[in-house]
Amino acid sequence: MVLIFNPAPERDAFEIAGGSPACLMLHGFIGDTREMRPLAETISQTFGFHVYAPLWPGHGSLPHFMQGLEVPQFMQAAHDALTKIREQHSEVVVFGFSMGGALAAQLISEHPVAGFIALAPMLSVRTPLLPLSPLARYFLPWIYPLKMGNIDFLRLRQVILDADPTLDLDDPVTLARLREEVRFPLPITNELRKMANQARKAARNIYTPT
């Protein structure tokens, strides 16, 4: 039983055709495009604007798929998304939620757009393990949340069922195997720290209406 990265359609990138200005909607860390869909649909229905919401690398499933990801890969995804939407619309408004807001700040400082809407942007990261994160890959590459608590710890039951609804999470054998498979790559927290630091610096160079 190995959980496979295969985002469900409702978690994957989506696009709603419409007019200008186009709206680029960037979701947050460990989230997916479902975070942006209600707002996107409201904007589309109310104003008729074009909307595009990409899915970040390693997202849309369980967190171990983020292993090895670094800031440049996220920034490349942001650049690719802006390029894609500008192929159809020259005027773009960027919405960024949490981590998406931090990456949007860097993107906009390099490529000005018509407007920036920051939704609880990630400008700092606070976790007790953060000071250790640069060295984490050498001695603590993974955190196993199911070894720290039960299946309902941090709402993991729903996260796992979202990834694979066929699993019986009350079966002891299944749970024993999941304790080894469900894991969080600690080094990604260092990448979040870098994103937040870069976002604060980038914000000084943003002259887009925000």
Side-chain angles (χ1 to χ4, degrees):
M1 179 185 66
V2 177
L3 298 176
I4 299 173
F5 179 70
N6 185 22
E10 66 271 14
R11 290 169 165 253
D12 212 345
F14 69 83
E15 192 165 12
I16 305 174
S20 293
C23 301
L24 176 59
M25 313 196 78
L26 306 176
H27 69 80
F29 180 62
I30 315 186
D32 55 64
T33 57
R34 293 177 299 176
E35 296 175 345
M36 312 308 292
R37 188 173 287 276
L39 180 57
E41 291 177 345
T42 298
I43 289 171
S44 174
Q45 293 165 9
T46 304
F47 303 106
F49 296 158
H50 188 104
V51 178
Y52 175 54
L55 180 68
W56 292 124
H59 285 63
S61 189
L62 292 171
H64 64 264
F65 293 107
M66 294 186 293
Q67 181 190 21
L69 289 174
E70 297 180 346
V71 175
Q73 291 162 280
F74 288 99
M75 284 307 306
Q76 185 60 55
H79 283 286
D80 291 346
L82 182 60
T83 298
K84 172 181 171 61
I85 203 168
R86 276 186 164 159
E87 290 175 351
Q88 303 175 64
H89 299 269
S90 60
E91 191 174 21
V92 179
V93 175
V94 177
F95 293 69
F97 171 58
S98 188
M99 182 186 79
L103 293 166
Q106 297 174 64
L107 180 68
I108 292 167
S109 69
E110 300 171 6
H111 304 281
V113 294
F116 176 31
I117 298 178
L119 307 170
M122 184 187 75
L123 298 177
S124 65
V125 179
R126 296 182 179 88
T127 170
L129 295 174
L130 189 61
L132 301 177
S133 59
L135 300 175
R137 69 187 64 192
Y138 301 112
F139 64 91
L140 187 63
W142 297 102
I143 293 176
Y144 292 81
L146 288 180
K147 294 182 179 180
M148 300 166 60
N150 61 34
I151 191 66
D152 294 302
F153 178 63
L154 297 178
R155 298 183 294 179
L156 284 172
R157 178 183 293 270
Q158 190 56 51
V159 172
I160 293 169
L161 287 176
D162 282 346
D164 186 346
T166 68
L167 293 174
D168 179 3
L169 299 185
D170 295 313
D171 174 42
V173 175
T174 299
L175 284 176
R177 298 181 72 172
L178 285 174
R179 288 191 182 98
E180 301 299 326
E181 290 186 20
V182 177
R183 57 199 188 279
F184 179 87
L186 184 58
I188 196 70
T189 60
N190 190 48
E191 300 306 304
L192 292 174
R193 179 188 62 80
K194 294 177 185 177
M195 288 181 200
N197 291 344
Q198 292 169 10
R200 290 196 302 273
K201 294 176 182 177
R204 302 168 188 164
N205 298 313
I206 293 176
Y207 299 94
T208 292
T210 302

